[in-house]
Amino acid sequence: MKKIILLMLLFISSLLSVEIKELPWPKGETFLTFLEKYAIPQKLYFDLEKEDKELASEIMAEQRYYLYENEDGTLNQVLIPVSDEIQLHIYEENGVYKFQTLPINYKEFTETIAVPITSSVSYDIQKATGNAALTAQLKAIFSGVNFRGMQKGDFVVIKYSQRSLLGRSFGLPDIKGAMVEVAGRKYYRFKSKKDDKYYDQKGVGFTKTYFFKVPLTYKRISSHFTKKRWHPVLKRYRAHLGTDFAAPRGRKIYAAGDGRIDFIGRRGGYGKTIIINHRNGYRTLYAHQNGFRKGLKRRQNVKKGQHIGYVGSTGLSSGPHLHFGLYKNGRAVNAMKVIRKPDTKGLKGKSKATFIANTKHYIKTFEEIIADENRAKATKLDRVTYKNDLNL
């Protein structure tokens, strides 16, 4: 544990004395082609454990990574985020390249902003925060509200949390509560801690529930989802951003939900893989397939329960199984919790009463902000900065 923390501190402190390149991961680049580019023996990859090989397949195009090269152009070390929690670290030690997974040393702040509309909601929020993703999140939770009807002098108030890495926004903002004013009429949305869904000030739900089905008939779960875990025996961080279903080779695989195929083909250690984009920011991944159903192609729409492929062990796999990944707004989530999540049709009883009582504090704060006679500039309140739970 101390060695990992020391390595992270050495890397971060090196930012002050050497040039660290922040680059987007190139389209078409794989972990293996990256190693080849820097003349690093591919044995580094093939000696990894199965979970680490799969993490190397999680690298997404355009994901920003952090590179430190020696003066002769060889690699000194690199940090490659593969989720909001975990990153791959390749570094040189005594002439030998080594690999490890590390937690991401992000910072996080929470703030409330009140933005007067002068041009458009997108322009004004971007100008006030520099966070383009915040507008997209806002519009998603206020689906059905006509933002085009906003007039000059209307207000938007948002309380949200945002992670940052090396001074840049990292991941998507998490909106806790918001108010949108359209032609003087106020609309509210608040996030419930009970189910992470959004409701108005009266407890009426506005988050559509999407249910996914288990994509095959399986014998057992051979490897469970693990977001970030410190292994006390191995003394290292481990992560498995999906669920492995053991099943016979050739067994049919079905789409877990309605969506459109975003990728179909080979994907690094995942072998033959299909990725499907769904509504509401969800994406599913089906890896290690033996083959795809005939006729499937990219951008094709599929229905929940539609046959898409067959169980196999392509890529780096120890035996036939399906690696199933589920992502929400780019973040890996535990599919079994979503699949098994009960259909709660909104807040009821004490939960609803408690929620409504808590929103009154939000509304009072929002009203105090927009009551300012000036209403001329964005106001930032209660900003809190802190490190993640590792206290690095």
Short mmCIF file of all heavy atoms in Angstrom, two decimals, residues 73-121:
data_model
loop_
_atom_site.label_atom_id
_atom_site.label_comp_id
_atom_site.label_asym_id
_atom_site.label_seq_id
_atom_site.Cartn_x
_atom_site.Cartn_y
_atom_site.Cartn_z
N GLY A 73 12.95 9.71 -26.05
CA GLY A 73 11.65 9.34 -26.62
C GLY A 73 11.10 8.03 -26.13
O GLY A 73 9.98 7.65 -26.50
N THR A 74 11.84 7.31 -25.29
CA THR A 74 11.32 6.06 -24.71
C THR A 74 10.36 6.39 -23.58
O THR A 74 10.35 7.50 -23.03
CB THR A 74 12.45 5.17 -24.19
OG1 THR A 74 13.22 5.90 -23.22
CG2 THR A 74 13.37 4.75 -25.35
N LEU A 75 9.55 5.41 -23.22
CA LEU A 75 8.53 5.62 -22.19
C LEU A 75 9.14 5.52 -20.80
O LEU A 75 9.85 4.57 -20.47
CB LEU A 75 7.42 4.58 -22.33
CG LEU A 75 6.28 4.68 -21.32
CD1 LEU A 75 5.43 5.91 -21.61
CD2 LEU A 75 5.42 3.43 -21.32
N ASN A 76 8.87 6.52 -19.99
CA ASN A 76 9.25 6.47 -18.58
C ASN A 76 8.10 5.91 -17.77
O ASN A 76 8.25 4.94 -17.04
CB ASN A 76 9.64 7.86 -18.08
CG ASN A 76 10.09 7.85 -16.63
OD1 ASN A 76 9.28 7.70 -15.72
ND2 ASN A 76 11.39 7.99 -16.42
N GLN A 77 6.91 6.50 -17.93
CA GLN A 77 5.71 5.96 -17.30
C GLN A 77 4.48 6.60 -17.92
O GLN A 77 4.54 7.64 -18.57
CB GLN A 77 5.72 6.16 -15.79
CG GLN A 77 5.87 7.59 -15.31
CD GLN A 77 5.91 7.65 -13.79
OE1 GLN A 77 5.11 7.01 -13.10
NE2 GLN A 77 6.86 8.41 -13.26
N VAL A 78 3.35 5.94 -17.74
CA VAL A 78 2.09 6.42 -18.29
C VAL A 78 0.95 6.01 -17.36
O VAL A 78 1.00 4.95 -16.73
CB VAL A 78 1.85 5.85 -19.71
CG1 VAL A 78 1.71 4.33 -19.70
CG2 VAL A 78 0.62 6.49 -20.36
N LEU A 79 -0.05 6.89 -17.23
CA LEU A 79 -1.26 6.61 -16.49
C LEU A 79 -2.44 6.66 -17.46
O LEU A 79 -2.64 7.67 -18.14
CB LEU A 79 -1.47 7.64 -15.38
CG LEU A 79 -0.62 7.50 -14.13
CD1 LEU A 79 -0.80 8.71 -13.23
CD2 LEU A 79 -0.97 6.23 -13.36
N ILE A 80 -3.21 5.56 -17.52
CA ILE A 80 -4.32 5.46 -18.46
C ILE A 80 -5.60 5.14 -17.69
O ILE A 80 -5.80 4.01 -17.25
CB ILE A 80 -4.07 4.36 -19.51
CG1 ILE A 80 -2.69 4.50 -20.13
CG2 ILE A 80 -5.16 4.38 -20.58
CD1 ILE A 80 -2.28 3.31 -20.99
N PRO A 81 -6.50 6.11 -17.49
CA PRO A 81 -7.77 5.82 -16.80
C PRO A 81 -8.63 4.86 -17.62
O PRO A 81 -8.74 5.01 -18.84
CB PRO A 81 -8.43 7.20 -16.69
CG PRO A 81 -7.31 8.18 -16.83
CD PRO A 81 -6.36 7.55 -17.79
N VAL A 82 -9.24 3.89 -16.95
CA VAL A 82 -10.16 2.98 -17.62
C VAL A 82 -11.56 3.05 -17.00
O VAL A 82 -12.48 2.40 -17.48
CB VAL A 82 -9.64 1.52 -17.59
CG1 VAL A 82 -8.42 1.37 -18.46
CG2 VAL A 82 -9.34 1.06 -16.16
N SER A 83 -11.70 3.81 -15.94
CA SER A 83 -13.00 4.06 -15.32
C SER A 83 -12.84 5.30 -14.44
O SER A 83 -11.77 5.90 -14.39
CB SER A 83 -13.47 2.87 -14.49
OG SER A 83 -12.75 2.78 -13.27
N ASP A 84 -13.90 5.67 -13.73
CA ASP A 84 -13.80 6.81 -12.82
C ASP A 84 -12.98 6.48 -11.58
O ASP A 84 -12.58 7.38 -10.84
CB ASP A 84 -15.20 7.25 -12.38
CG ASP A 84 -15.86 8.15 -13.41
OD1 ASP A 84 -15.26 8.35 -14.49
OD2 ASP A 84 -16.97 8.65 -13.14
N GLU A 85 -12.72 5.21 -11.35
CA GLU A 85 -12.08 4.79 -10.11
C GLU A 85 -10.67 4.23 -10.29
O GLU A 85 -9.86 4.29 -9.36
CB GLU A 85 -12.94 3.72 -9.42
CG GLU A 85 -14.35 4.17 -9.07
CD GLU A 85 -14.39 5.12 -7.91
OE1 GLU A 85 -13.39 5.20 -7.17
OE2 GLU A 85 -15.42 5.80 -7.73
N ILE A 86 -10.38 3.67 -11.44
CA ILE A 86 -9.15 2.90 -11.59
C ILE A 86 -8.40 3.31 -12.85
O ILE A 86 -9.00 3.73 -13.84
CB ILE A 86 -9.46 1.38 -11.61
CG1 ILE A 86 -8.29 0.56 -11.07
CG2 ILE A 86 -9.89 0.91 -12.97
CD1 ILE A 86 -8.22 0.48 -9.58
N GLN A 87 -7.07 3.20 -12.81
CA GLN A 87 -6.23 3.53 -13.96
C GLN A 87 -5.08 2.53 -14.08
O GLN A 87 -4.68 1.90 -13.09
CB GLN A 87 -5.69 4.95 -13.84
CG GLN A 87 -4.87 5.20 -12.60
CD GLN A 87 -4.59 6.67 -12.38
OE1 GLN A 87 -4.63 7.47 -13.30
NE2 GLN A 87 -4.31 7.06 -11.14
N LEU A 88 -4.58 2.37 -15.29
CA LEU A 88 -3.45 1.50 -15.56
C LEU A 88 -2.17 2.32 -15.45
O LEU A 88 -2.10 3.44 -15.95
CB LEU A 88 -3.56 0.89 -16.96
CG LEU A 88 -4.91 0.27 -17.34
CD1 LEU A 88 -4.83 -0.33 -18.73
CD2 LEU A 88 -5.35 -0.77 -16.33
N HIS A 89 -1.17 1.75 -14.84
CA HIS A 89 0.12 2.44 -14.66
C HIS A 89 1.22 1.54 -15.20
O HIS A 89 1.44 0.45 -14.71
CB HIS A 89 0.35 2.72 -13.17
CG HIS A 89 1.58 3.52 -12.90
ND1 HIS A 89 2.26 3.48 -11.70
CD2 HIS A 89 2.28 4.40 -13.67
CE1 HIS A 89 3.30 4.29 -11.74
NE2 HIS A 89 3.33 4.86 -12.93
N ILE A 90 1.90 2.01 -16.25
CA ILE A 90 3.08 1.32 -16.79
C ILE A 90 4.27 2.20 -16.47
O ILE A 90 4.26 3.41 -16.75
CB ILE A 90 2.97 1.11 -18.31
CG1 ILE A 90 1.70 0.37 -18.67
CG2 ILE A 90 4.20 0.34 -18.82
CD1 ILE A 90 1.45 0.29 -20.15
N TYR A 91 5.31 1.62 -15.91
CA TYR A 91 6.47 2.41 -15.52
C TYR A 91 7.74 1.58 -15.67
O TYR A 91 7.72 0.34 -15.67
CB TYR A 91 6.33 2.89 -14.08
CG TYR A 91 6.23 1.80 -13.04
CD1 TYR A 91 7.33 1.41 -12.28
CD2 TYR A 91 5.02 1.14 -12.82
CE1 TYR A 91 7.24 0.40 -11.34
CE2 TYR A 91 4.91 0.13 -11.87
CZ TYR A 91 6.03 -0.22 -11.13
OH TYR A 91 5.93 -1.23 -10.20
N GLU A 92 8.86 2.29 -15.82
CA GLU A 92 10.16 1.65 -15.98
C GLU A 92 10.88 1.63 -14.64
O GLU A 92 10.94 2.64 -13.93
CB GLU A 92 10.99 2.41 -17.01
CG GLU A 92 12.35 1.79 -17.27
CD GLU A 92 13.22 2.64 -18.18
OE1 GLU A 92 12.84 3.81 -18.43
OE2 GLU A 92 14.26 2.16 -18.62
N GLU A 93 11.43 0.46 -14.31
CA GLU A 93 12.18 0.32 -13.06
C GLU A 93 13.39 -0.55 -13.32
O GLU A 93 13.27 -1.73 -13.66
CB GLU A 93 11.29 -0.29 -11.97
CG GLU A 93 11.94 -0.32 -10.61
CD GLU A 93 10.98 -0.82 -9.54
OE1 GLU A 93 10.86 -2.05 -9.36
OE2 GLU A 93 10.34 0.03 -8.89
N ASN A 94 14.57 0.04 -13.22
CA ASN A 94 15.83 -0.67 -13.47
C ASN A 94 15.86 -1.33 -14.84
O ASN A 94 16.31 -2.47 -15.00
CB ASN A 94 16.08 -1.72 -12.38
CG ASN A 94 16.20 -1.10 -11.00
OD1 ASN A 94 16.74 -0.02 -10.85
ND2 ASN A 94 15.66 -1.80 -10.00
N GLY A 95 15.35 -0.59 -15.85
CA GLY A 95 15.40 -1.09 -17.21
C GLY A 95 14.31 -2.07 -17.57
O GLY A 95 14.28 -2.58 -18.70
N VAL A 96 13.40 -2.35 -16.63
CA VAL A 96 12.32 -3.30 -16.88
C VAL A 96 10.98 -2.58 -16.73
O VAL A 96 10.78 -1.82 -15.77
CB VAL A 96 12.38 -4.49 -15.88
CG1 VAL A 96 11.21 -5.43 -16.12
CG2 VAL A 96 13.71 -5.21 -16.02
N TYR A 97 10.07 -2.81 -17.67
CA TYR A 97 8.75 -2.19 -17.60
C TYR A 97 7.82 -3.04 -16.74
O TYR A 97 7.78 -4.27 -16.87
CB TYR A 97 8.15 -2.00 -18.99
CG TYR A 97 8.78 -0.85 -19.73
CD1 TYR A 97 9.73 -1.07 -20.72
CD2 TYR A 97 8.43 0.47 -19.43
CE1 TYR A 97 10.33 0.00 -21.39
CE2 TYR A 97 9.01 1.53 -20.09
CZ TYR A 97 9.96 1.29 -21.07
OH TYR A 97 10.53 2.35 -21.72
N LYS A 98 7.07 -2.37 -15.89
CA LYS A 98 6.15 -3.06 -14.99
C LYS A 98 4.76 -2.46 -15.12
O LYS A 98 4.58 -1.36 -15.62
CB LYS A 98 6.65 -2.96 -13.55
CG LYS A 98 7.99 -3.66 -13.34
CD LYS A 98 8.39 -3.67 -11.87
CE LYS A 98 9.70 -4.43 -11.68
NZ LYS A 98 10.09 -4.47 -10.24
N PHE A 99 3.77 -3.20 -14.64
CA PHE A 99 2.36 -2.83 -14.77
C PHE A 99 1.70 -2.94 -13.40
O PHE A 99 1.97 -3.86 -12.62
CB PHE A 99 1.67 -3.78 -15.75
CG PHE A 99 0.17 -3.63 -15.83
CD1 PHE A 99 -0.41 -2.89 -16.84
CD2 PHE A 99 -0.67 -4.25 -14.91
CE1 PHE A 99 -1.79 -2.75 -16.93
CE2 PHE A 99 -2.05 -4.12 -14.98
CZ PHE A 99 -2.60 -3.37 -16.01
N GLN A 100 0.81 -1.99 -13.13
CA GLN A 100 -0.03 -2.09 -11.94
C GLN A 100 -1.30 -1.29 -12.17
O GLN A 100 -1.38 -0.46 -13.08
CB GLN A 100 0.71 -1.57 -10.69
CG GLN A 100 1.06 -0.11 -10.74
CD GLN A 100 1.78 0.35 -9.47
OE1 GLN A 100 1.73 -0.32 -8.43
NE2 GLN A 100 2.44 1.49 -9.54
N THR A 101 -2.30 -1.58 -11.37
CA THR A 101 -3.54 -0.78 -11.39
C THR A 101 -3.56 0.08 -10.14
O THR A 101 -3.19 -0.38 -9.05
CB THR A 101 -4.78 -1.68 -11.44
OG1 THR A 101 -4.74 -2.62 -10.34
CG2 THR A 101 -4.84 -2.45 -12.75
N LEU A 102 -3.98 1.32 -10.31
CA LEU A 102 -3.98 2.28 -9.21
C LEU A 102 -5.33 2.97 -9.12
O LEU A 102 -5.99 3.18 -10.15
CB LEU A 102 -2.91 3.35 -9.42
CG LEU A 102 -1.45 2.91 -9.38
CD1 LEU A 102 -0.55 4.08 -9.77
CD2 LEU A 102 -1.07 2.41 -7.99
N PRO A 103 -5.73 3.38 -7.93
CA PRO A 103 -6.94 4.22 -7.81
C PRO A 103 -6.64 5.59 -8.39
O PRO A 103 -5.50 6.06 -8.37
CB PRO A 103 -7.18 4.28 -6.30
CG PRO A 103 -5.83 4.08 -5.70
CD PRO A 103 -5.11 3.12 -6.62
N ILE A 104 -7.63 6.25 -8.93
CA ILE A 104 -7.45 7.59 -9.50
C ILE A 104 -7.51 8.62 -8.38
O ILE A 104 -8.47 8.68 -7.61
CB ILE A 104 -8.52 7.88 -10.57
CG1 ILE A 104 -8.29 6.95 -11.77
CG2 ILE A 104 -8.45 9.34 -11.01
CD1 ILE A 104 -9.31 7.10 -12.87
N ASN A 105 -6.50 9.43 -8.30
CA ASN A 105 -6.38 10.43 -7.24
C ASN A 105 -7.13 11.70 -7.64
O ASN A 105 -6.54 12.77 -7.79
CB ASN A 105 -4.91 10.73 -6.97
CG ASN A 105 -4.71 11.62 -5.76
OD1 ASN A 105 -5.41 11.47 -4.76
ND2 ASN A 105 -3.79 12.55 -5.85
N TYR A 106 -8.42 11.58 -7.84
CA TYR A 106 -9.21 12.74 -8.24
C TYR A 106 -9.56 13.61 -7.04
O TYR A 106 -9.50 13.19 -5.89
CB TYR A 106 -10.49 12.29 -8.95
CG TYR A 106 -11.41 11.46 -8.09
CD1 TYR A 106 -12.26 12.04 -7.16
CD2 TYR A 106 -11.45 10.07 -8.22
CE1 TYR A 106 -13.10 11.29 -6.37
CE2 TYR A 106 -12.29 9.30 -7.44
CZ TYR A 106 -13.11 9.92 -6.52
OH TYR A 106 -13.94 9.16 -5.73
N LYS A 107 -9.93 14.84 -7.35
CA LYS A 107 -10.52 15.72 -6.36
C LYS A 107 -11.99 15.90 -6.72
O LYS A 107 -12.39 15.61 -7.85
CB LYS A 107 -9.81 17.07 -6.32
CG LYS A 107 -8.37 17.00 -5.80
CD LYS A 107 -7.76 18.37 -5.72
CE LYS A 107 -6.34 18.29 -5.15
NZ LYS A 107 -5.71 19.64 -5.05
N GLU A 108 -12.78 16.35 -5.77
CA GLU A 108 -14.21 16.52 -6.03
C GLU A 108 -14.71 17.76 -5.30
O GLU A 108 -14.29 18.02 -4.17
CB GLU A 108 -14.99 15.29 -5.58
CG GLU A 108 -16.47 15.33 -5.92
CD GLU A 108 -17.15 14.00 -5.69
OE1 GLU A 108 -16.44 13.02 -5.37
OE2 GLU A 108 -18.38 13.93 -5.82
N PHE A 109 -15.54 18.52 -5.97
CA PHE A 109 -16.13 19.68 -5.31
C PHE A 109 -17.64 19.67 -5.52
O PHE A 109 -18.15 19.07 -6.46
CB PHE A 109 -15.53 21.00 -5.84
CG PHE A 109 -15.82 21.29 -7.29
CD1 PHE A 109 -17.01 21.89 -7.67
CD2 PHE A 109 -14.90 20.96 -8.26
CE1 PHE A 109 -17.28 22.16 -9.00
CE2 PHE A 109 -15.16 21.23 -9.61
CZ PHE A 109 -16.35 21.83 -9.97
N THR A 110 -18.33 20.32 -4.60
CA THR A 110 -19.78 20.49 -4.70
C THR A 110 -20.07 21.99 -4.67
O THR A 110 -19.49 22.72 -3.86
CB THR A 110 -20.50 19.81 -3.53
OG1 THR A 110 -20.23 18.41 -3.58
CG2 THR A 110 -22.01 20.02 -3.63
N GLU A 111 -20.91 22.45 -5.58
CA GLU A 111 -21.25 23.87 -5.59
C GLU A 111 -22.69 24.07 -6.05
O GLU A 111 -23.28 23.20 -6.69
CB GLU A 111 -20.29 24.65 -6.49
CG GLU A 111 -20.43 24.37 -7.97
CD GLU A 111 -19.47 25.21 -8.80
OE1 GLU A 111 -18.65 25.95 -8.22
OE2 GLU A 111 -19.51 25.11 -10.04
N THR A 112 -23.22 25.23 -5.68
CA THR A 112 -24.53 25.65 -6.16
C THR A 112 -24.31 26.87 -7.04
O THR A 112 -23.64 27.82 -6.63
CB THR A 112 -25.46 26.02 -5.00
OG1 THR A 112 -25.61 24.89 -4.14
CG2 THR A 112 -26.84 26.43 -5.53
N ILE A 113 -24.84 26.84 -8.25
CA ILE A 113 -24.69 27.98 -9.15
C ILE A 113 -26.07 28.51 -9.53
O ILE A 113 -27.02 27.75 -9.67
CB ILE A 113 -23.91 27.61 -10.44
CG1 ILE A 113 -24.65 26.51 -11.22
CG2 ILE A 113 -22.49 27.20 -10.12
CD1 ILE A 113 -24.13 26.31 -12.62
N ALA A 114 -26.17 29.82 -9.64
CA ALA A 114 -27.39 30.46 -10.11
C ALA A 114 -27.01 31.27 -11.35
O ALA A 114 -26.19 32.17 -11.28
CB ALA A 114 -27.96 31.37 -9.04
N VAL A 115 -27.60 30.91 -12.48
CA VAL A 115 -27.19 31.49 -13.75
C VAL A 115 -28.37 32.23 -14.39
O VAL A 115 -29.39 31.61 -14.72
CB VAL A 115 -26.68 30.41 -14.73
CG1 VAL A 115 -26.23 31.03 -16.04
CG2 VAL A 115 -25.54 29.61 -14.10
N PRO A 116 -28.28 33.55 -14.56
CA PRO A 116 -29.33 34.28 -15.27
C PRO A 116 -29.23 34.04 -16.77
O PRO A 116 -28.13 34.02 -17.32
CB PRO A 116 -29.03 35.74 -14.93
CG PRO A 116 -27.56 35.77 -14.67
CD PRO A 116 -27.21 34.43 -14.09
N ILE A 117 -30.34 33.83 -17.43
CA ILE A 117 -30.34 33.58 -18.86
C ILE A 117 -30.22 34.91 -19.61
O ILE A 117 -31.05 35.81 -19.46
CB ILE A 117 -31.61 32.84 -19.30
CG1 ILE A 117 -31.70 31.49 -18.56
CG2 ILE A 117 -31.63 32.63 -20.81
CD1 ILE A 117 -30.51 30.58 -18.78
N THR A 118 -29.15 35.01 -20.39
CA THR A 118 -28.93 36.20 -21.22
C THR A 118 -28.96 35.87 -22.70
O THR A 118 -29.31 36.70 -23.53
CB THR A 118 -27.58 36.85 -20.90
OG1 THR A 118 -26.52 35.91 -21.19
CG2 THR A 118 -27.50 37.24 -19.43
N SER A 119 -28.58 34.63 -23.04
CA SER A 119 -28.54 34.21 -24.44
C SER A 119 -29.28 32.89 -24.62
O SER A 119 -30.33 32.82 -25.24
CB SER A 119 -27.09 34.08 -24.91
OG SER A 119 -27.01 33.64 -26.23
N SER A 120 -28.71 31.82 -24.06
CA SER A 120 -29.33 30.49 -24.09
C SER A 120 -28.82 29.71 -22.89
O SER A 120 -27.77 30.04 -22.32
CB SER A 120 -29.00 29.74 -25.38
OG SER A 120 -27.63 29.35 -25.40
N VAL A 121 -29.55 28.69 -22.49
CA VAL A 121 -29.15 27.92 -21.31
C VAL A 121 -27.78 27.28 -21.52
O VAL A 121 -26.94 27.24 -20.62
CB VAL A 121 -30.23 26.88 -20.95
CG1 VAL A 121 -30.37 25.82 -22.03
CG2 VAL A 121 -29.89 26.22 -19.60
#
